[in-house]
Amino acid sequence: MAIQKSSSIRNLLQSLRAASFSSMIANDHRFTSQAYSSATTKPSGYSDDEDADVNWDKLGFGLTQTDYMYVMSCCKDQSFLKGQLCRYANIELSPSAGVLNYGQGVYEGMKANRTQDGRILLFRADQNAGRMRHGAERMCMPSPSVDQFIDAVKETVSANKRWIPPPGKGSLYVRPMLLGTGPILGLAPAPEYTFLVYVSPVGYYFKEGTAPLNLYIEEEYVRASPGGAGGVKSITNYAPVMKAIAKAKDRGFSDVLYLDAINKKYLEEVSSCNIFIVKGNVISTPATNGTILEGVTRKSIIEIAKDHGYQVEERPVAVDELVDADEVFCTGTAVGVALVGSITYRNKRTEFRSEGRLVCQQLYSTLVGLQTGRIEDKKGWTLEIN
């Protein structure tokens, strides 16, 4: 009886705490000032139908502040409830927030595209939602349901539709984030969590644009190791690669290709994208085994390649196989499909086919066609935003 009573009191306190935190978020001007609704007072100087003041021809991959973001919160061991749109603004965090002290956070990356006939399409949003839930479980965090995730993304994109580039000029990059925002001193999951979605119009990820990339194979640093968090999109996976990227770029390379942590002989992935090699009719890519992120673009390209009649192998790919490859390319939400012109390993540069009829261009054309509505989507991959 005493145990039941104690459990009931604990559950009641948790419910009250969650309600209090949700109320704080709902009433805090840092999160909800001028929340987007029919009653919202729009900022002066533009209407929601007015085009954004952006030079679309010079759009790179950088942050452009847009109008609205989405915020949803909950407490530990609770479920997320309905969130809301608010004006894009800074947020306040406790110095002891779990995400600041222990890196308890995951994020996603996806794109919305405008079609030639004016529709707005999302691409495989359910896959990003599922991947966030998988990452949240690994990082001991509650996560939005798939429906909550997709609804939040749709609302955010719709509210910022004037920032979606014209067809052929770029995409609206969508960044959903799940953060441990509650204060915590000891090493443990944060008591409170915030789910955010913000957007920014973007162009090409690499400064080379569509030009072939020149990659450098890193041997001193590794991106991930077995048993770690390399297979989820944790925020902790990205800062550690910055040193290797800086070293490579100082030497004139586009990015870094990492090897496995144990044998230092198998390809893993590039800093922010997956890697594929082509030999004849066979396309090979490193198998996702816990150290490699299961990219949504990677998954899509594999299926598209099979549809085009290519044999696709997901397996360990030895670095020595590069010398015999006809073609190499990278895939990712930010990069799309990027051709690799050369890879340098132990001061030896290997060049790959970068002209003529290229496999990656064929696959990329199909991918972009689906994403932008030029090709009929018979797979159910796209989601139209009204």
Side-chain angles (χ1 to χ4, degrees), residues 5 13 38 75 103 184 187 199 207 223 254 285 299 302 319 359:
K5 184 175 181 180
L13 289 173
S38 59
C75 289
I184 189 79
L187 181 56
V199 298
K207 65 180 179 65
R223 178 191 169 274
S254 309
T285 188
K299 185 175 183 179
I302 287 173
V319 65
V359 173

Side-chain angles (χ1 to χ4, degrees), residues 215-217 251 253 342-350:
L215 302 182
Y216 170 76
I217 291 182
R251 297 178 59 185
F253 296 103
S342 73
I343 296 178
T344 298
Y345 175 53
R346 294 181 177 176
N347 295 320
K348 180 181 179 181
R349 178 186 173 107
T350 302

Side-chain angles (χ1 to χ4, degrees), residues 141-196:
M141 308 169 73
S143 61
S145 68
V146 171
D147 287 341
Q148 286 177 319
F149 180 102
I150 293 175
D151 287 345
V153 169
K154 288 170 63 178
E155 285 191 49
T156 311
V157 170
S158 182
N160 292 286
K161 62 184 179 182
R162 74 192 191 101
W163 296 95
I164 303 176
K169 299 295 185 180
S171 305
L172 188 71
Y173 186 83
V174 184
R175 174 59 61 83
M177 305 179 70
L178 179 59
L179 310 172
T181 46
I184 189 79
L185 184 59
L187 181 56
E192 294 138 11
Y193 296 86
T194 300
F195 174 70
L196 294 170

Side-chain angles (χ1 to χ4, degrees), residues 67-122:
D67 300 322
Y68 300 101
M69 63 183 187
Y70 188 96
V71 182
M72 182 164 56
S73 305
C74 81
C75 289
K76 179 185 174 184
D77 300 326
Q78 300 292 321
S79 297
F80 281 94
L81 301 176
K82 175 67 177 176
Q84 59 188 322
L85 287 163
C86 59
R87 296 309 305 268
Y88 183 94
N90 293 339
I91 61 172
E92 279 190 24
L93 289 175
S94 165
S96 58
V99 67
L100 297 181
N101 288 262
Y102 301 116
Q104 194 184 22
V106 295
Y107 76 92
E108 282 297 319
M110 48 203 301
K111 288 179 178 177
N113 290 285
R114 193 183 297 277
T115 67
Q116 289 290 348
D117 58 4
R119 293 176 297 136
I120 299 171
L121 299 180
L122 287 173

Side-chain angles (χ1 to χ4, degrees), residues 282-345:
V282 179
I283 301 175
S284 302
T285 188
T288 55
N289 54 9
T291 60
I292 297 173
L293 185 68
E294 296 189 24
V296 176
T297 307
R298 173 188 181 274
K299 185 175 183 179
S300 304
I301 286 295
I302 287 173
E303 189 165 335
I304 290 171
K306 291 178 179 178
D307 290 343
H308 280 285
Y310 293 100
Q311 178 183 336
V312 181
E313 299 178 345
E314 298 180 71
R315 60 174 177 81
V317 179
V319 65
D320 294 340
E321 295 183 48
L322 289 173
V323 296
D324 296 319
D326 299 326
E327 190 179 326
V328 177
F329 61 89
C330 302
T331 66
T333 297
V335 306
V337 179
L339 180 67
V340 176
S342 73
I343 296 178
T344 298
Y345 175 53

